[in-house]
């Protein structure tokens, strides 16, 4: 797979942020943490109506690698979030944020993992529109059942 240069990644991130400003995604807002760094975004997800998260504002940092979009961003909540796929330090673990290709552990299909064709919005839409919460996981996943961990309360 060809590697994206930092300038290509910067241009793409700049375009995606601009597109988000022009066509906002319901329940989501984003901006730069520092105007001089396109690789770190401050995001807010608004709890979807009729869910356990309704009325909540959940802040996170999306950090993009220098070879974006070939590698996925990382997401770390800075707000307290109660969810099995949000670790106690706020890091998010969902399939779409895992590197492209086959899962070495065999838990995920390659189609469920990051792909360079995804945009910044894909993980956000995935996390804010499924189920009755910020749907960041599959509760019956064998990996989830084996790796229960403490998570944070709203």
């Amino acid at each position: 797979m060809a590697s994206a240069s930092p300038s290509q990644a910067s241009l793409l991130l700049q375009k995606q942020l601009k597109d988000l400003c022009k066509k906002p995604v319901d329940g989501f807002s984003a901006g730069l943490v520092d105007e001089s760094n396109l690789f770190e975004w401050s995001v807010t997800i608004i709890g979807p109506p009729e869910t356990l998260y309704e009325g909540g504002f959940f802040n996170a940092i999306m950090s993009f690698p220098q070879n974006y979009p070939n590698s996925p961003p990382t997401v770390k909540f800075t707000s307290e979030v109660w969810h099995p796929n949000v670790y106690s330090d706020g890091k998010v673990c969902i399939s779409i944020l895992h590197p492209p290709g086959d899962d070495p552990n065999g838990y995920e299909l390659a189609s469920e993992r990051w792909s360079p064709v995804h945009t910044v919005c894909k993980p956000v839409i995935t996390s804010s529109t499924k189920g009755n919460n910020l749907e960041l996981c599959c509760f019956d996943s064998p990996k989830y059942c084996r790796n229960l961990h403490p998570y944070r309360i709203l």
Side-chain angles (χ1 to χ4, degrees):
M1 180 181 305
S3 175
S5 74
S7 62
Q8 290 173 318
S10 296
L11 290 171
L12 180 58
L13 287 168
Q14 188 174 28
K15 180 189 180 320
Q16 289 181 357
L17 184 58
K18 189 175 181 181
D19 290 349
L20 263 175
C21 292
K22 284 182 184 176
K23 291 184 178 181
V25 174
D26 285 344
F28 175 77
S29 66
L32 299 177
V33 171
D34 176 344
E35 294 297 320
S36 66
N37 182 3
L38 283 167
F39 291 88
E40 192 167 78
W41 294 16
S42 174
V43 300
T44 300
I45 299 173
I46 301 168
E50 300 178 27
T51 70
L52 298 172
Y53 299 96
E54 182 173 17
F57 288 79
F58 306 98
N59 298 313
I61 301 294
M62 285 184 89
S63 300
F64 298 89
Q66 294 294 316
N67 70 337
Y68 179 82
N70 293 327
S71 294
T74 59
V75 178
K76 182 176 180 178
F77 279 97
T78 56
S79 300
E80 296 253 332
V81 176
W82 181 81
H83 194 281
N85 279 67
V86 177
Y87 295 109
S88 60
D89 66 357
K91 289 182 184 173
V92 175
C93 178
I94 57 174
S95 299
I96 198 153
L97 293 177
H98 294 162
D102 293 326
D103 178 6
N105 299 310
Y107 297 120
E108 302 166 337
L109 300 174
S111 62
E112 297 171 325
R113 296 167 69 91
W114 180 260
S115 169
V117 299
H118 293 321
T119 66
V120 169
C121 291
K122 180 65 175 172
V124 172
I125 291 169
T126 299
S127 68
S128 64
T129 61
K130 288 184 175 180
N132 66 349
N133 57 27
L134 296 178
E135 195 58 54
L136 300 172
C137 77
C138 173
F139 287 101
D140 60 357
S141 160
K143 185 176 183 181
Y144 168 72
C145 293
R146 282 195 297 274
N147 297 317
L148 289 173
H149 56 275
Y151 38 91
R152 303 191 296 166
I153 298 173
L154 288 174

